[in-house]
Amino acid sequence: MASKTITLRVFRGDDKGGELVEYKVETFENMVVLDAIHKIQAEQDSSLACRWNCKAAKCGSCSAEIDGKPALMCKTQVHDCAGDSITVTPLRTFPLVKDLVTDVSWNYRMAAKIPPLTPTKETAGKPFNMQQIDVDRVQEFRKCIECFLCQNVCHILRDHERTDAFFGPRQMVRIASLEMHPMDSLNRREQLKGEAGVGFCNITKCCTEVCPESIHITDNAIIPLKERVVDDYYDPVRKGLIAIGLIKKRNKAPLSSVPNDLTKIIS
Amino acid sequence: MAVQTSPPAAAAGSQKAPVVKRTDNWWGGTLFFFIVFSAFGAWATFRAFQNGFYETAGASQFGGAYYLSPLYSPTLRLSTKIAGFNISPALFILPFPLCFRLSCYYYRKMLYRAYGADPLGCAIAEPEPLASMRRKKYKGEKYFPLVVQNFHRYAFFAAAIFIIMLWKDTIESFFFKSGDSMHFGMGLGSIVFLTNVVLLSCYTFSCHSWRHFVGGNADCYSCSVLNQTKHGLWKKVSFINEKHGTFAMASLISVALTDVYVFLVTSGHFHDIRFF
């Protein structure tokens, strides 16, 4: 494809304010938006800040909003954008640091609240052969590169600003990978219904839509977790069947059994 | 698990990045849903209260066909009257499939988008004054009233019973009365009924709650023979679950078209085409 000159409108500013600044950039074949940002840094303005690392859609660092849609800058081809002008802005959900860089540390603090894999005392430390049929379901969750595009696009965090009540889609994927793990012995539904706030999700599927790793976040993580919470808290028939002994109650350790230092944050 | 983090977000300023309007077609799917669902709602309401033109019942003027509108299935012979008005049997039938659709995970997504603007689209700022009213007050499906969506699994089992009855209607649509005898045959209506019931079955049995029920609730698939069977079922349901949204819309349209077909035939506007 022949090269052409496009206009890149990039947000410049920090937490006190900022504006969109226009740059003219000469394109080349297969150029991605991150290339264009790098070209600006190299040729026009070295003070432009952006976070990046691998340029191969595997590190999850260069998340931004391109023409208003959350995406990885390294995975968005310039030629795929409509028109000759592209607008690049930082993730809207998180506090601004500088230009395209935001402070995503809230996500790590929420992750720290989720207890790690907790085998029972009898199985802890012993070899465990994970069978393929058990891998099938949770393998997908391991693809997450923590780009936080799902956290950014989730309207509960983005528009309703309920960071106090909902851990966000990324953490739901993390909890799902533990809740569905055959070795895990913790009752994670307690946390899901409580502080993690899975009930806040209203299935908009935007997290799935923007995921660069194509993880079916809503269908394979959030909805199954919702159903598991329903099992324990909103299904009177199931409760009745457990009461009369037709169904066995899950024998899981309460969250309170997790030592505090496992979920402690060092800041 | 000790995690090293940067200073808390609260230390940063409150300035957010500017809102940039998306330039792609983010609204097409939502608009399509709004039009189709609203049209279905209007038509179904009209038909539910009409209390007529919903069955051919093997009558000779309809070629002996047995076509029963899905909105009036199963046949209820009721003579309920309120203030002198006959109450349509559809009003006793429709709440069940309606509850299934309204609490369906796919419909939840689309209904919240199309009718609640919550959100209108992905990364689309909510319109004012809704945005200001809802900010920091959002309760989602955790509290009343939307917490009732958690009863979707009960709605599924009710809908599954209706699927059995609709299959019965479909089989009957392949039999025609001539004189005092019945014979196997096929009319255009039979094909319409079969298409509808296949789409409805695919929609109903690709349900997320059903997927959880048949196997999604197990933690360790390899631990017992029962759980290995659950894994097999879960995989099969997962396969059609990927198209749950497509089946949801296709079956909504097919229910409406089947009802329209029965309406046209029974009201004399269209003669059923008989293939054999």
Side-chain angles (χ1 to χ4, degrees):
Chain A
M1 190 172 284
S3 77
K4 61 176 181 177
T5 302
I6 58 159
T7 304
L8 226 69
R9 297 164 70 226
V10 185
F11 177 79
R12 302 299 312 269
D14 54 25
D15 61 341
K16 291 171 195 69
E19 59 181 347
L20 291 172
V21 177
E22 289 193 0
Y23 300 94
K24 299 280 182 199
V25 178
E26 189 79 11
T27 66
F28 52 80
E29 197 174 354
N30 296 328
M31 185 189 214
V32 291
V33 173
L34 185 59
D35 287 324
I37 295 291
H38 283 165
K39 219 164 180 315
I40 294 169
Q41 284 178 325
E43 297 170 3
Q44 299 180 49
D45 191 345
S46 59
S47 69
L48 171 61
C50 88
R51 190 185 279 132
W52 75 285
N53 199 333
C54 71
K55 224 202 99 180
K58 283 294 163 205
C59 73
S61 303
C62 64
S63 303
E65 301 196 1
I66 299 161
D67 285 338
K69 190 175 182 188
L72 292 180
M73 288 194 284
C74 69
K75 216 182 171 185
T76 309
Q77 294 256 341
V78 165
H79 294 297
D80 289 343
C81 299
D84 289 337
S85 170
I86 300 171
T87 307
V88 187
T89 49
L91 301 180
R92 187 169 155 73
T93 303
F94 305 114
L96 273 166
V97 177
K98 185 178 186 297
D99 302 339
L100 299 178
V101 179
T102 52
D103 177 4
V104 294
S105 61
W106 175 81
N107 300 292
Y108 299 115
R109 289 202 298 283
M110 294 307 109
K113 288 184 177 185
I114 302 166
L117 182 77
T118 311
T120 58
K121 280 178 185 161
E122 295 76 44
T123 54
K126 290 179 183 167
F128 176 75
N129 289 333
M130 188 93 165
Q131 302 299 312
Q132 186 58 45
I133 59 171
D134 290 318
V135 174
D136 274 354
R137 186 169 45 171
V138 291
Q139 182 76 45
E140 178 186 19
F141 305 142
R142 310 293 292 211
K143 292 196 296 177
C144 179
I145 56 173
E146 295 211 310
C147 61
F148 301 127
L149 287 174
C150 57
Q151 302 283 85
N152 174 58
V153 80
C154 174
H155 74 128
I156 303 162
L157 308 174
R158 184 187 178 96
D159 299 323
H160 299 301
E161 299 176 5
R162 292 305 309 265
T163 48
D164 59 320
F166 183 50
F167 281 9
R170 160 57 191 136
Q171 312 309 348
M172 292 299 129
V173 167
R174 184 174 159 75
I175 296 175
S177 70
L178 295 164
E179 164 75 15
M180 296 173 190
H181 196 291
M183 282 276 276
D184 195 59
S185 65
L186 273 188
N187 178 14
R188 295 178 186 276
R189 301 175 190 188
E190 202 184 314
Q191 184 177 43
L192 277 169
K193 183 176 183 285
E195 62 174 350
V198 72
F200 278 89
C201 173
N202 69 343
I203 328 288
T204 65
K205 287 202 179 182
C206 290
C207 47
T208 306
E209 207 172 285
V210 300
C211 180
E213 283 293 317
S214 304
I215 302 172
H216 297 85
I217 302 173
T218 321
D219 287 320
N220 293 348
I222 299 179
I223 294 174
L225 290 180
K226 273 177 167 271
E227 287 293 321
R228 282 164 180 251
V229 169
V230 174
D231 275 352
D232 281 13
Y233 295 96
Y234 301 103
D235 190 341
V237 174
R238 189 180 168 80
K239 276 184 185 168
L241 293 174
I242 289 172
I244 59 173
L246 276 177
I247 297 180
K248 236 169 72 177
K249 196 180 176 186
R250 291 168 85 243
N251 187 22
K252 296 271 181 175
L255 219 60
S256 55
S257 65
V258 179
N260 276 345
D261 61 338
L262 279 181
T263 52
K264 195 175 161 189
I265 305 167
I266 301 168
S267 52
Chain B
M1 186 177 60
V3 174
Q4 188 77 41
T5 63
S6 55
S14 57
Q15 180 70 36
K16 278 186 155 193
V19 177
V20 177
K21 282 186 181 170
R22 277 177 63 175
T23 49
D24 57 336
N25 179 11
W26 58 267
W27 46 267
T30 309
L31 182 66
F32 172 75
F33 178 84
F34 181 82
I35 292 168
V36 171
F37 197 79
S38 299
F40 179 86
W43 174 256
T45 306
F46 160 68
R47 288 286 285 148
F49 283 96
Q50 191 182 27
N51 200 6
F53 303 116
Y54 60 80
E55 64 176 340
T56 56
S60 55
Q61 73 264 36
F62 307 125
Y66 285 89
Y67 296 155
L68 173 64
S69 163
L71 302 183
Y72 284 83
S73 178
T75 311
L76 297 177
R77 302 290 175 210
L78 298 169
S79 53
T80 314
K81 283 190 176 185
I82 294 178
F85 289 99
N86 275 325
I87 301 302
S88 164
L91 298 179
F92 295 96
I93 294 164
L94 291 182
F96 296 99
L98 186 67
C99 281
F100 180 57
R101 298 232 174 211
L102 292 183
S103 63
C104 161
Y105 285 103
Y106 169 74
Y107 278 95
R108 268 143 89 169
K109 166 193 163 186
M110 296 312 295
L111 290 167
Y112 292 137
R113 283 193 190 195
Y115 295 94
D118 197 13
L120 263 175
C122 300
I124 301 296
E126 293 182 6
E128 293 291 352
L130 281 177
S132 305
M133 281 161 56
R134 290 167 171 171
R135 190 168 297 128
K136 292 191 186 287
K137 292 174 191 155
Y138 174 82
K139 292 177 178 176
E141 297 178 346
K142 192 171 180 179
Y143 301 99
F144 187 80
L146 293 178
V147 73
V148 297
Q149 302 280 34
N150 285 318
F151 291 92
H152 179 56
R153 55 185 60 183
Y154 296 117
F156 162 79
F157 285 110
I161 294 167
F162 278 82
I163 292 296
I164 297 167
M165 295 189 267
L166 289 169
W167 270 105
K168 176 183 162 285
D169 296 340
T170 304
I171 292 166
E172 283 180 357
S173 75
F174 281 88
F175 289 90
F176 298 88
K177 193 176 178 184
S178 53
D180 290 337
S181 63
M182 299 280 284
H183 68 90
F184 181 77
M186 191 169 78
L188 181 58
S190 315
I191 296 169
V192 169
F193 271 66
L194 185 63
T195 309
N196 179 46
V197 81
V198 167
L199 289 172
L200 273 172
S201 302
C202 288
Y203 166 58
T204 306
F205 292 101
S206 61
C207 166
H208 292 83
S209 287
W210 175 239
R211 183 185 182 217
H212 173 76
F213 183 80
V214 298
N217 54 6
D219 290 338
C220 179
Y221 287 132
S222 61
C223 293
S224 67
V225 177
L226 174 67
N227 281 8
Q228 284 171 19
T229 312
K230 279 185 170 187
H231 177 258
L233 290 170
W234 173 81
K235 271 194 98 167
K236 285 179 177 67
V237 177
S238 297
F239 177 72
I240 53 169
N241 175 263
E242 283 184 26
K243 297 285 174 204
H244 191 52
T246 309
F247 289 130
M249 289 312 287
S251 62
L252 185 81
I253 294 167
S254 75
V255 166
L257 292 181
T258 307
D259 179 64
V260 167
Y261 188 83
V262 175
F263 172 76
L264 291 175
V265 169
T266 51
S267 59
H269 289 93
F270 183 78
H271 285 287
D272 182 40
I273 299 164
R274 190 70 46 80
F275 300 113
F276 61 89

